[in-house]
Amino acid sequence: MSNYNYDEEFIFRTEDIKPKDLTNIFVETKMDRDNLNYLKGKSPVLLEGSRGTGKTMLLRVAEKELDDDFNSKRELAVFVSFSKAIFVDATNEITHFRNWMFSKILFALKRKLEKKGVALTNSGIIGKYFNFIEDKDEIIKKLDEFIYILENSWHSKSKGEFDQIGTLFGVDPSRVGVLKETDYFKALVEDICEACEINRIVLLFDEACHNLIPLQQREFFTMFRDLRCPYISCKAAVYPGITSYGTFQSFHDAIVQKVERDITSEDYLVKMREIVKNQVDHKVYKIFEQSGENFNSLIYAASGNPRLLLKSLFIASEDLKSLKTNTVNSTIKNFYRTNIWNEHTKLGETYNGHKKLIDWGRWFVENKVLAETLIKNDKRVVEEKNQQTIYFAIHRDAPEVIKQAVRILQYSGIVSLHTEGTKVRTEVYDRYQINFGVVLASESKSTPINRYKEIITGLSVKLYTEYGINSPAYENTESLRDISTEFDSAAVLKSLLSASIDNLDITNFQCQTLKDAGFNTLEDVLNAEEKDLQRAYLIGPVKSRKIFNTAFNATIEYISG
């Protein structure tokens, strides 16, 4: 297996990996293989995991494997990114959002057919579903323009762009059945499959669920459910906890597959090390390998999240130069006690309707759950017992606001669902796992490096704190009763776009380079073109594209959560 060195920095997002490099970077576990088989199968699938757990990577690998077998199995994988959904005005005109979704799918489908060398022998197949006669390539060109209009109307003071929509196709898009009705769309796909001898089209939706934007989520999942037919298999990457499914029932309408890696699995350490090994040259990896427990402590602190590992390792190694004990200890303390919690709290600053719930969830974990966990662990150490814990359990019939607060903590990666519906005596609980790095960062009697192995070797799912139906730990919940699940998307977008580029997952050098060129906020980056970035000192066409792609992808991900 080849190792890659991308200018001595880690690749944090799959979007920045070239398709040909996927197999050299991807590290497969048994759980990953099971998930890939589900993604390539016929049943609808929701791939659920918190940010950075590898959902996009699995979708891309599934696409590549389907591509490799296309000539023999005739199953066409179509990757559809909905990362720009937040820029489409769904509040004032929901039909535009629905039109946009179908347009994105059609555009991606047409492009993938061309990539696989599949020609639409009958050019009228697409045209007849648009209620007018026109060359299929002209229709796709108009779809591209339509998508562009909707995705770029966010920065306009007026609604002038929407005047173009009515004349673009010669008819209003709301009258074009294939852009709004699933029956028309399924009929079009069936015609394409029969004409091109394709057995099935697998739609892989990335960033399908934009959390805390319930209107968009409900529209998407309605489409997701209604597209089910012998010719279409829908798969989508979603975040845990705070998804608004509307009438879609995840248990009945799809198979839900988890992505989180188990830190107690036998191959956990080996696989997580391999993820790092595949991104650096042998000299850099040797530095990590020789550091032994320093490296291992960062791996376990990441709780199976590759992105958390790569980010914390990059910081602890001082840009991949060394891995010193003091630096590793301080990185775990700062990263999991400050950075990860700041990301959670920032949700409340953006989505005011959920602020009290988000703040209460943090208070509950820090002051109740973590405190009880540390007490239990310390007691076992004093008693010279091996059992240690990072688990807690919430009663199935606990107040809904409590469960909602925990779900948002799942989204942030602070906690994860370990066992659903476990019996505790005669009652039913859901057992959760606290992010191991958060636990280590809260330790005051020992350093993370000295403590992590003691906890891991004694980790027991049988040891946990229970929080019952009306636990005394549920303090100060009176103000949480009137939590709004809706919000002003325009206000949220404005708030997000005004954020500093310091929030982006780019190097300090790239960040400063962008600032020197006058790009200080996320909106500055999104309004820019590659040629604009070349105003920066020593930034030519190649470097400008890389910086633009990195900043743009990071901006989209930052906005989408």
Side-chain angles (χ1 to χ4, degrees), residues 268-270 272-273 285 288-289 291-303 309 313 323 328 332 436 440 448-449 452-453 456:
Y268 174 76
L269 199 61
V270 173
M272 293 296 278
R273 278 180 167 238
Y285 185 74
F288 299 154
E289 195 173 38
S291 69
E293 297 303 326
N294 292 352
F295 191 17
N296 291 345
S297 63
L298 287 167
I299 291 173
Y300 277 106
S303 294
L309 170 60
L313 180 58
L323 209 56
V328 171
I332 293 175
F436 191 31
L440 288 175
I449 291 177
Y452 93 88
K453 198 167 187 179
I456 283 295

Side-chain angles (χ1 to χ4, degrees), residues 267-318:
D267 63 351
Y268 174 76
L269 199 61
V270 173
K271 295 296 185 180
M272 293 296 278
R273 278 180 167 238
E274 195 174 338
I275 288 173
V276 177
K277 187 177 183 179
N278 288 354
Q279 287 218 31
V280 296
D281 63 34
H282 70 280
K283 292 181 180 179
V284 173
Y285 185 74
K286 190 174 182 180
I287 294 173
F288 299 154
E289 195 173 38
Q290 291 177 340
S291 69
E293 297 303 326
N294 292 352
F295 191 17
N296 291 345
S297 63
L298 287 167
I299 291 173
Y300 277 106
S303 294
N305 187 309
R307 190 174 303 163
L308 291 182
L309 170 60
L310 295 175
K311 283 187 176 182
S312 58
L313 180 58
F314 191 77
I315 296 170
S317 64
E318 297 175 316

Side-chain angles (χ1 to χ4, degrees), residues 175-195:
R175 293 177 56 196
V176 180
V178 75
L179 292 185
K180 68 169 184 172
E181 299 292 342
T182 52
D183 286 342
Y184 282 94
F185 184 85
K186 287 191 290 187
L188 168 59
V189 170
E190 182 176 346
D191 285 351
I192 290 175
C193 287
E194 290 180 351

